[in-house]
Amino acid sequence: MNVIQEFETRMLPDLVPGFRQLVGQARVSDPILLNQRAMVRMLVPVQWILRRVGTDGIRLTKAGHLPPAVVIEASFELDWGWPIEVNREVHIRPLRELRVHLRDVGLLRVSKGTLLLTARGRTLAESPRELWRYLAATIHHSRTAGVSDATRLLLLYVATRTLDHRAEYLEVLARGLGSIGWAVSEFGVSGEDAAEEIIAPKWRLLTRLGVFEESGHGFGRTETVTVGGAAFARAALKVEVAAVPSA
């Protein structure tokens, strides 16, 4: 059972036809035709971290963060617009979130205070097509079921390429979560605010992977889905519902 089919089992019968229409718009059944060069562009931050860890690993600080020298390297290599004087991982949330995600999905591990590649991480680090597909298959991974569901719903709308503003995504996510049985009161906030709180870390992760191309500022800001982003979303939605395998 793939993630789309699993959602239908939790919906009221009268909601299923509209959901299937959305799935059709998302072209989830289409083959993934993205070329490897485009995949490599999306993988730049992931491959940088995996290669930087390499065979020797990275000794973490006592607080469990990347050391300042590595943070400075990342600010140069990844060109995410950080001030050059920033050298603490705690001040660069997207970097920390990406590192933690790679650990959570079995590409990195920590042993005796050192960040290391897992066997899977070593295998996939220089295999861009397989790495891209693995990241798509595990992008929803979270210890919180609501975050996993929200991520899959977000990816479904990403695959349609019909929305351009974060507020639009939050509106449909709030409705979508309700349609599969989540009550907003379970998150302690309501509506779009709940969706924002739930999806924010995954949104940042998807942005760093090149799923969204952001432009403008303030109310004029847009988040346009890239061609690679739509392909990534479809690949993620094709996978069977299963736990992330152990490293």
Side-chain angles (χ1 to χ4, degrees):
M1 178 184 295
N2 65 33
V3 295
I4 299 300
Q5 294 166 330
E6 196 275 333
F7 276 160
E8 288 190 9
T9 67
R10 290 189 269 162
M11 290 181 174
L12 294 173
D14 60 344
L15 296 178
V16 172
F19 181 71
R20 289 181 177 174
Q21 184 177 9
L22 176 63
V23 172
Q25 285 182 287
R27 296 162 45 205
V28 174
S29 61
D30 283 11
I32 305 301
L33 301 177
L34 193 67
N35 63 55
Q36 185 164 303
R37 183 179 299 178
M39 291 179 178
V40 169
R41 285 198 298 270
M42 297 180 72
L43 293 172
V44 166
V46 174
Q47 287 193 301
W48 183 85
I49 291 178
L50 296 180
R51 289 166 177 166
R52 182 61 182 79
V53 172
T55 56
D56 297 329
I58 297 174
R59 184 71 179 176
L60 301 176
T61 66
K62 290 182 179 180
H65 300 303
L66 290 174
V70 175
V71 175
I72 291 173
E73 282 183 56
S75 69
F76 275 111
E77 297 294 334
L78 300 181
D79 191 25
W80 283 351
W82 301 320
I84 196 61
E85 64 269 15
V86 173
N87 64 359
R88 304 288 181 183
E89 189 188 28
V90 70
H91 296 147
I92 306 178
R93 185 165 54 182
L95 177 62
R96 182 181 183 279
E97 289 175 343
L98 179 58
R99 174 177 67 83
V100 170
H101 180 74
L102 296 181
R103 183 198 65 198
D104 288 347
V105 299
L107 298 179
L108 296 174
R109 64 185 179 91
V110 176
S111 176
K112 298 180 180 179
T114 299
L115 187 65
L116 300 166
L117 293 176
T118 63
R120 183 177 294 109
R122 287 193 298 273
T123 299
L124 296 181
E126 301 303 331
S127 302
R129 187 173 296 277
E130 289 76 15
L131 177 59
W132 186 91
R133 289 186 177 277
Y134 183 79
L135 290 172
T138 56
I139 191 67
H140 69 279
H141 179 66
S142 173
R143 297 175 184 177
T144 304
V147 173
S148 293
D149 282 349
T151 303
R152 289 162 170 158
L153 283 171
L154 173 61
L155 291 168
L156 184 57
Y157 285 101
V158 164
T160 69
R161 301 190 78 193
T162 57
L163 305 178
D164 289 313
H165 298 279
R166 191 183 184 104
E168 295 174 320
Y169 282 102
L170 296 178
E171 182 180 350
V172 294
L173 277 177
R175 291 202 305 265
L177 285 168
S179 74
I180 57 174
W182 288 102
V184 292
S185 60
E186 294 182 53
F187 300 102
V189 288
S190 61
E192 288 83 357
D193 289 336
E196 173 77 35
E197 183 173 323
I198 297 162
I199 205 62
K202 293 294 188 182
W203 184 285
R204 288 190 291 269
L205 180 59
L206 290 168
T207 298
R208 297 308 177 191
L209 290 174
V211 170
F212 298 107
E213 183 176 1
E214 298 180 332
S215 61
H217 302 280
F219 291 111
R221 186 182 184 88
T222 61
E223 289 90 5
T224 304
V225 175
T226 63
V227 172
F232 187 86
R234 292 181 188 118
L237 294 168
K238 288 178 182 292
V239 301
E240 298 298 303
V241 178
V244 176
S246 58

